[in-house]
Amino acid sequence: MLQRSRTLPSRIHHIMDENRDTRQYLQVEIQPKPHAETEALDPQVGYSKCLDDDGRTKRTGTFWTATAHIITAVIGSGVLSLAWAIAQLGWIAGPTVLMLFAMVILYTSYLLSDCYRAGDSVTGKRNYTYMDAVKANLGGPKVKMCGIIQYLNLWGVAIGYTIAASISMMAVKRSNCFHESGGKNPCHMSSNVYMIMFGITEVIFSQIPDFDQVWWLSIVAAIMSFTYSTVGLSLGIAQVAEHGTLKGSLTGISIGLVTPTQKVWRSLQALGDIAFAYSYSIILIEIQDTIKSPPAENKTMKKATLMSISVTTIFYLLCGCMGYAAFGDNAPGNLLTGFGFYNPYWLLDIANVAIVVHLVGAYQVFCQPLFAFVEKWSAQKWPKSDFITQDYDVPIPLSSSTYQLNFFRLIWRTIFVVVTTVISMLMPFFNDVVGILGAFAFWPLTVYFPVEMYIAQKKIGRWTSQWLGLQIISFTCLTISLAAAAGSVAGVILDLKNYKPFKTTY
């Protein structure tokens, strides 16, 4: 039986008037002020043990949960395209570009983490979302521009992950088909039913109310990402050991296998694939908003970022380089589903199941900020609507706990997943979609806004050496993004020549 929830939903906490006396509203007991020195060190002194300095329920995130969120977001399906990307660029440019992207992401993530709080990065007013940070530091039309780019990209990532998950599910079926037929059956099949299966799973997990409640899913997903990355790496090493040689060349894929024009476009697309493989800045602020303090949130976030980017870069280099060494110019677009490897088929099955489980969690890590934005906006637009703002307690069978059911959340999130799944079925081009997403989001969200917000927050003067250095980084990354976008769009145009809606087979 449904009962109205007696507790104020966490979602409503997020839209309460900031000038409201939250402590009085919640009737919590305020602790007496301790010594002035302690107060100076801890901005949360004087608040309830149950609340943070902004009146919200105390955050519980740690270095480890933040690291799990980042790894889940970073080591995604993009790692599987890195062998192909390095094959286009060669032994010199491939690893070099990977390292450069890692350094840029690490540096700009540090800048962005300092913008979580407006004014002072330790005691300033909190920004709960990326858009809030842009609004506090830059304001004006840049806020809307940021929101459009961020949320469209989050939606795009959901589409890309749906495509990747369906390909991995098909790979399990196809590897067993290959094994049973001794390689005689091509085992072609449609991706539609697998996308629908993934979509149904995401409808269920999308009902997790808030971002801070998916931490356990992130930890499982992070473990899965290491699992399939390790399998890909191991198979690459085994392939190299079997042949006794390292394939590939210094300059990448040979002219002859592709035309000079194709080599240019594919090299540019490879940049987009690498950018996508490192794309997580769009949810950095949302991850940071789950971290408890003290210590200051930006310090914890920087440590988590350094750990995550270091680990993922090592994995990227190993997986990408070993995949290229194993297959050379013939490196598949997806290392574990492109059937560069056929045996042991059971190990491929384990790896592809791990990919699917990982993508279930990664989908939520990227979509929860989008869900929260729409629900917050709707609650502000129609604050008196019970359909939108009211939660109902639903008893969980075999448990003393209850689930807070919100009918608006149930319906709108279900519609979102259904539409995302249908669009994925319309455009199932894994490599090209990955490249476009990486190119589209890399410069504005990973470089431009963090750089501009940091300049505004630290009041860095124009034409100073620091300002010039930051602008050079931003302009260089803009050039790379435009080039990568051009290459990926060209790839999609080529794919569309032989494409029929809803009839794609692998």
Side-chain angles (χ1 to χ4, degrees):
M1 184 175 180
L2 300 183
Q3 294 182 342
R4 285 178 181 264
S5 175
R6 296 181 180 178
T7 59
L8 196 64
S10 59
R11 184 181 64 263
I12 303 302
H13 278 286
H14 285 240
I15 59 172
M16 290 174 64
D17 186 347
E18 292 169 0
N19 296 322
R20 193 173 193 170
D21 189 348
T22 310
R23 285 169 289 163
Q24 181 181 350
Y25 181 81
L26 294 174
Q27 297 181 343
V28 296
E29 181 180 351
I30 307 302
Q31 296 179 341
K33 280 191 175 183
H35 193 273
E37 285 185 18
T38 308
E39 183 179 5
L41 293 173
D42 185 0
Q44 300 190 49
V45 166
Y47 289 86
S48 165
K49 290 182 178 180
C50 299
L51 300 177
D52 269 330
D53 57 346
D54 58 348
R56 295 190 180 185
T57 304
K58 210 161 189 67
R59 293 157 178 84
T60 57
T62 63
F63 163 80
W64 293 110
T65 60
T67 301
H69 281 317
I70 296 170
I71 289 176
T72 300
V74 177
I75 301 187
S77 54
V79 68
L80 302 174
S81 67
L82 291 180
W84 181 90
I86 292 179
Q88 313 313 307
L89 299 172
W91 279 118
I92 297 177
T96 300
V97 169
L98 260 174
M99 290 297 297
L100 289 175
F101 269 95
M103 288 188 287
V104 169
I105 291 288
L106 182 62
Y107 180 66
T108 57
S109 294
Y110 276 16
L111 301 184
L112 187 55
S113 64
D114 283 336
C115 298
Y116 169 63
R117 289 182 180 266
D120 189 279
S121 58
V122 177
T123 60
K125 177 181 172 295
R126 296 173 187 263
N127 296 305
Y128 306 119
T129 65
Y130 199 123
M131 276 186 69
D132 288 343
V134 174
K135 183 178 181 180
N137 289 283
L138 301 177
K142 292 181 179 179
V143 179
K144 288 185 177 180
M145 182 175 73
C146 168
I148 291 170
I149 295 172
Q150 181 188 12
Y151 294 118
L152 277 178
N153 191 258
L154 290 174
W155 189 19
V157 168
I159 293 170
Y161 281 178
T162 303
I163 295 170
S166 70
I167 293 174
S168 288
M169 285 189 277
M170 283 190 298
V172 174
K173 181 73 174 176
R174 290 183 68 196
S175 70
N176 286 276
C177 173
F178 266 77
H179 178 72
E180 291 171 1
S181 67
K184 297 177 181 178
N185 188 342
C187 302
H188 293 305
M189 59 190 67
S190 171
S191 61
N192 290 345
V193 65
Y194 298 98
M195 290 190 188
I196 293 171
M197 289 169 59
F198 184 78
I200 292 171
T201 304
E202 290 304 339
V203 166
I204 297 171
F205 280 101
S206 291
Q207 298 311 312
I208 297 174
D210 297 307
F211 189 82
D212 59 353
Q213 295 178 31
V214 301
W215 62 267
W216 61 272
L217 196 56
S218 284
I219 291 175
V220 172
I223 294 170
M224 293 298 104
S225 66
F226 284 121
T227 300
Y228 67 73
S229 297
T230 302
V231 170
L233 172 61
S234 301
L235 290 174
I237 293 172
Q239 188 91 346
V240 171
E242 182 181 342
H243 293 154
T245 58
L246 294 175
K247 294 186 178 181
S249 65
L250 296 180
T251 56
I253 192 167
S254 306
I255 301 296
L257 288 176
V258 295
T259 66
T261 302
Q262 286 176 325
K263 180 171 174 62
V264 171
W265 289 126
R266 289 168 67 138
S267 296
L268 295 179
Q269 184 184 333
L271 296 178
D273 285 2
I274 294 173
F276 178 79
Y278 277 112
S279 178
Y280 88 99
S281 297
I282 53 178
I283 56 171
L284 185 146
I285 296 293
E286 283 82 354
I287 292 174
Q288 193 165 342
D289 191 45
T290 68
I291 297 174
K292 65 181 179 182
S293 64
E297 302 88 358
N298 64 331
K299 290 183 179 180
T300 303
M301 194 65 190
K302 287 177 181 179
K303 290 179 181 178
T305 299
L306 177 60
M307 168 69 81
S308 305
I309 297 299
S310 299
V311 170
T312 54
T313 299
I314 292 171
F315 260 78
Y316 282 1
L317 284 169
L318 291 173
C319 290
C321 291
M322 289 310 302
Y324 182 40
F327 297 107
D329 290 348
N330 295 318
N334 187 316
L335 191 59
L336 293 175
T337 62
F339 284 86
F341 300 114
Y342 293 90
N343 285 300
Y345 75 98
W346 56 267
L347 186 59
L348 287 171
D349 289 351
I350 291 174
N352 280 297
V353 169
I355 291 172
V356 175
V357 174
H358 169 260
L359 292 177
V360 168
Y363 189 105
Q364 290 305 312
V365 168
F366 278 96
C367 287
Q368 284 290 338
L370 175 57
F371 294 156
F373 170 76
V374 172
E375 287 155 22
K376 175 182 175 181
W377 179 85
S378 300
Q380 289 175 329
K381 188 75 172 177
W382 299 285
K384 296 182 180 180
S385 171
D386 283 351
F387 173 72
I388 293 175
T389 61
Q390 184 63 53
D391 284 1
Y392 298 88
D393 288 334
V394 180
I396 299 175
L398 306 177
S399 172
S400 59
S401 303
T402 59
Y403 171 76
Q404 289 192 331
L405 173 67
N406 178 280
F407 287 109
F408 175 67
R409 180 174 67 225
L410 173 65
I411 293 172
W412 117 256
R413 293 190 183 189
T414 300
I415 292 173
F416 171 86
V417 175
V418 169
V419 172
T420 299
T421 304
V422 171
I423 292 176
S424 302
M425 293 161 65
L426 278 170
M427 48 178 295
F429 315 128
F430 176 74
N431 268 69
D432 298 322
V433 169
V434 161
I436 288 176
L437 291 173
F440 181 63
F442 176 67
W443 177 72
L445 297 176
T446 302
V447 181
Y448 174 74
F449 283 118
V451 164
E452 293 300 315
M453 285 192 289
Y454 186 79
I455 289 173
Q457 187 179 61
K458 301 300 181 182
K459 296 180 173 59
I460 299 172
R462 281 178 171 270
W463 308 113
T464 60
S465 58
Q466 189 175 8
W467 184 89
L468 285 172
L470 290 170
Q471 295 301 333
I472 289 171
I473 292 174
S474 182
F475 179 76
T476 303
C477 291
L478 170 61
T479 305
I480 292 172
S481 286
L482 292 175
S488 298
V489 169
V492 169
I493 292 173
L494 289 174
D495 286 334
L496 289 173
K497 289 183 178 180
N498 300 314
Y499 164 70
K500 293 180 181 179
F502 299 108
K503 293 184 179 180
T504 300
T505 60
Y506 291 86

